[in-house]
Amino acid sequence: MMFYKFLRFDFKNGILHQWKTFACTGVLFFLGAALHCLTLRVLSITRPEYLQTPPTVGDYMITVFAGVRAHAAQEMGSSFEMPFLWLFYLCWILFTVLRYPLEELAGVGKHLLVLSRSRTHWWCSKCIWVCASTTFTFAAALLGMALCGVCFGARPSLQVSGYIPTLLNFTSEHMAPEPWDISLLLLANLALLIAAGLVQLTLSLYIKQLYSYLFVVGYLLAGTYLPNKPLLSSYMMGARSSIFLQPGNDPLVGIAAALWLGCISVAIGWYRFSYYDILDVLN
Amino acid sequence: MGVQLKHVSKSIHGVAVLTDVNVTFHAGEITGLRGINGSGKTMIMRCVAGLIRPTKGEIEIDGKVLWRDIAFPQDVGLLIENPAFLPYQTGAQNLQMLADIKAKVGKARVAEVLGQVGLVPDDKRKYHQFSLGMKQRLGIAAAVMEHPRLLILDEPTNALDTEGIQRLQNLLACEKANGSIILLSCHDYQLLKTLSDVICQVERGSVVGCEPSESAPDA
């Protein structure tokens, strides 16, 4: 019963009252997807053969989720391309789940905690909040992109058109056969974002909130340059996914890794919070 | 029965904030903590509330050891440093939200305690529109609302006017009569003497002595 009250409080205070964040996310990603629309306009003039079929909503989404193909540093003349759009998406969503839990604890949450007499309830409620808030923000981003696509005449499908790998510069000799459906890639992105949010929450019990944010973003960013398997961001990028490439990173492995990382973070955080000093100063 | 701190020490980031604190707070008594800024008054209160864990020693509340037998005091009302509430809710809504946690008191008590601290129960203003004094009154109301067994008030007279202090005094007398254990700190020593039965002197993270307020020195 007490846990339900915590959840209800976090849902009301941390989700319903944060509707502006979700709305802002939708608008930002709508505008991001609109960039793709401009590219299509240019393409329709310069390379009309690419656009033999109308673009899909998946085409709009993959412009954000493509990331960058694995960088081969040892190759002569190979230069690293920073995936700015992908990086922005990551930074934004992780930032939206950074502040609420500890700010709430320094404020009214302290009273709730003392009245409820359970640190475990508080911690579990905040972990669920991270999962829910990340899901809502991610859904708002997808909705923004989908709306943009539909507004500009895209087909409501998550299958990606054949010209996309060339346009986004991740074409390869070993492409997977079409159709390329990105629903699993989206699911892997959501799972890994939730896991990253949980790692961030746990880390913020040890170090300053800003540092935990920078650490998680830095870790995910490292995966853009270093294609090592433990750098899980590889599983978040369409340009490295088995959906498009053979061999490529299997989104299901990414989901399994996210599940493992999320559970480990929740367990470590729960242990840490069980003796965490609650001071009004945010660390 | 009461609250007993036995050899309590606490270090935060390697800095000792409490050193071998030994003190007992009795039921039906108001204990005033006196000390300069940074002497450790708030840390003692945080320890007793279960918000921070002592590095050494133990805290016994009504026979139960904090952090071993219980995670937090069984029944506590708290105002530590600044009151904190949801900015987009009214005073009554904020109190009702806290009251819903234990469901021990209802709307009638929420309205009653708001009146006792001098706030209007039907006031439609949101918390963020409150003055400092009103916020402080709401913080006091939240702390005493459920008639807690243990009442911890850190600087409750901040931003209060004379009328607010009088109301606080009446509330404290009422809670004391109910047999509560009351811990209080206040930067105004004369006021602390007036409000408290016992004054404990806190210096450099230790309680150096406690004496009845009438026999405590005037300055």
Side-chain angles (χ1 to χ4, degrees):
Chain A
M1 190 61 185
M2 197 66 83
F3 180 59
Y4 161 74
K5 286 176 181 173
F6 263 113
L7 270 183
R8 195 181 58 176
F9 174 81
D10 282 330
F11 187 78
K12 192 177 164 193
N13 192 37
I15 292 189
L16 287 183
H17 278 275
Q18 308 286 333
W19 66 269
K20 284 179 190 166
T21 307
F22 304 127
C24 189
T25 303
V27 171
L28 277 174
F29 283 83
F30 183 97
L31 295 175
L35 286 176
H36 180 68
C37 187
L38 287 177
T39 314
L40 288 182
R41 298 273 167 186
V42 173
L43 212 61
S44 65
I45 299 163
T46 56
R47 294 283 183 88
E49 70 274 12
Y50 278 6
L51 300 172
Q52 289 179 355
T53 53
T56 65
V57 165
D59 293 352
Y60 282 81
M61 289 179 178
I62 197 69
T63 52
V64 172
F65 297 111
V68 67
R69 62 183 174 176
H71 174 62
Q74 68 279 15
E75 278 178 21
M76 289 292 284
S78 160
S79 62
F80 174 63
E81 297 162 30
M82 181 68 85
F84 287 108
L85 210 51
W86 180 84
L87 186 62
F88 167 76
Y89 133 77
L90 208 72
C91 291
W92 174 260
I93 293 189
L94 285 174
F95 183 73
T96 61
V97 292
L98 176 66
R99 293 167 60 197
Y100 170 73
L102 289 192
E103 279 187 2
E104 188 261 350
L105 183 62
V108 73
K110 188 172 52 197
H111 294 283
L112 298 176
L113 186 64
V114 171
L115 286 172
S116 74
R117 291 184 281 130
S118 171
R119 284 175 181 250
T120 302
H121 286 168
W122 187 92
W123 176 249
C124 291
S125 176
K126 289 300 172 287
C127 289
I128 291 173
W129 175 83
V130 166
C131 299
S133 187
T134 308
T135 305
F136 281 116
T137 315
F138 188 75
L142 292 189
L143 193 67
M145 288 187 278
L147 267 178
C148 179
V150 170
C151 286
F152 289 103
R155 283 182 292 129
S157 163
L158 288 178
Q159 286 184 8
V160 170
S161 306
Y163 69 92
I164 285 289
T166 315
L167 182 71
L168 298 178
N169 200 21
F170 65 87
T171 190
S172 153
E173 295 165 10
H174 311 289
M175 295 301 286
E178 291 187 54
W180 299 318
D181 189 307
I182 58 166
S183 32
L184 258 185
L185 178 71
L186 298 182
L187 206 60
N189 266 269
L190 174 61
L192 283 158
L193 274 174
I194 288 174
L198 291 169
V199 170
Q200 182 176 267
L201 176 65
T202 298
L203 274 177
S204 63
L205 298 178
Y206 290 91
I207 54 176
K208 285 180 189 292
Q209 277 183 310
L210 179 66
Y211 295 159
S212 74
Y213 174 69
L214 293 177
F215 180 89
V216 173
V217 168
Y219 164 78
L220 293 174
L221 184 61
T224 60
Y225 187 77
L226 307 164
N228 298 346
K229 293 281 181 189
L231 297 170
L232 296 177
S233 48
S234 285
Y235 293 94
M236 299 173 81
M237 291 187 263
R240 299 180 190 181
S241 173
S242 60
I243 293 167
F244 295 98
L245 304 173
Q246 283 179 339
N249 293 329
D250 187 347
L252 287 174
V253 176
I255 292 170
L259 206 64
W260 175 83
L261 188 64
C263 290
I264 293 282
S265 296
V266 169
I268 293 174
W270 171 77
Y271 173 73
R272 171 71 174 124
F273 192 69
S274 63
Y275 63 89
Y276 182 72
D277 288 334
I278 298 159
L279 304 164
D280 278 348
V281 184
L282 285 174
N283 68 20
Chain B
M1 300 297 260
V3 175
Q4 204 177 356
L5 280 76
K6 301 173 186 169
H7 305 289
V8 169
S9 297
K10 176 69 187 173
S11 296
I12 295 178
H13 304 308
V15 178
V17 290
L18 294 178
T19 313
D20 197 29
V21 175
N22 290 287
V23 65
T24 302
F25 307 122
H26 299 283
E29 197 171 79
I30 303 175
T31 306
L33 297 181
R34 184 197 183 196
I36 58 168
N37 292 343
S39 57
K41 303 184 296 291
T42 304
M43 282 300 160
I44 290 175
M45 291 181 166
R46 283 183 185 278
C47 271
V48 173
L51 294 174
I52 60 174
R53 183 177 189 161
T55 316
K56 283 182 195 160
E58 63 178 33
I59 299 166
E60 206 176 287
I61 300 173
D62 288 339
K64 289 184 176 165
V65 177
L66 205 55
W67 293 95
R68 194 188 71 194
D69 305 329
I70 46 173
F72 289 100
Q74 301 273 28
D75 189 11
V76 62
L78 199 63
L79 172 64
I80 287 198
E81 286 175 350
N82 302 314
F85 294 96
L86 297 179
Y88 53 82
Q89 289 195 340
T90 65
Q93 286 169 338
N94 266 298
L95 289 197
Q96 192 59 56
M97 175 199 67
L98 292 176
D100 285 345
I101 297 287
K102 281 185 174 173
K104 199 173 152 186
V105 295
K107 278 184 182 170
R109 174 61 187 151
V110 167
E112 183 192 24
V113 76
L114 281 169
Q116 284 174 332
V117 296
L119 293 174
V120 181
D122 300 329
D123 195 341
K124 298 288 179 226
R125 278 177 293 179
K126 309 289 183 198
Y127 178 71
H128 70 87
Q129 296 168 306
F130 278 21
S131 68
L132 277 179
M134 289 169 77
K135 287 178 178 174
Q136 194 69 3
R137 284 170 191 241
L138 189 63
I140 294 167
V144 301
M145 177 171 62
E146 294 181 341
H147 300 298
R149 168 90 178 128
L150 172 62
L151 181 58
I152 299 173
L153 299 172
D154 186 14
E155 305 281 0
T157 56
N158 279 358
L160 283 190
D161 53 20
T162 324
E163 188 253 356
I165 291 171
Q166 186 56 54
R167 286 179 181 275
L168 172 68
Q169 202 164 1
N170 295 342
L171 278 169
L172 288 177
C174 178
E175 296 306 316
K176 180 184 157 183
N178 285 342
S180 298
I181 308 157
I182 304 171
L183 245 73
L184 185 71
S185 79
C186 174
H187 61 269
D188 182 338
Y189 178 53
Q190 289 310 320
L191 187 56
L192 187 69
K193 268 187 81 173
T194 311
L195 295 173
S196 312
D197 300 315
V198 176
I199 301 280
C200 291
Q201 180 72 31
V202 185
E203 284 175 18
R204 291 184 202 146
S206 292
V207 175
V208 293
C210 294
E211 54 187 329
S213 58
E214 55 269 25
S215 59
D218 283 335

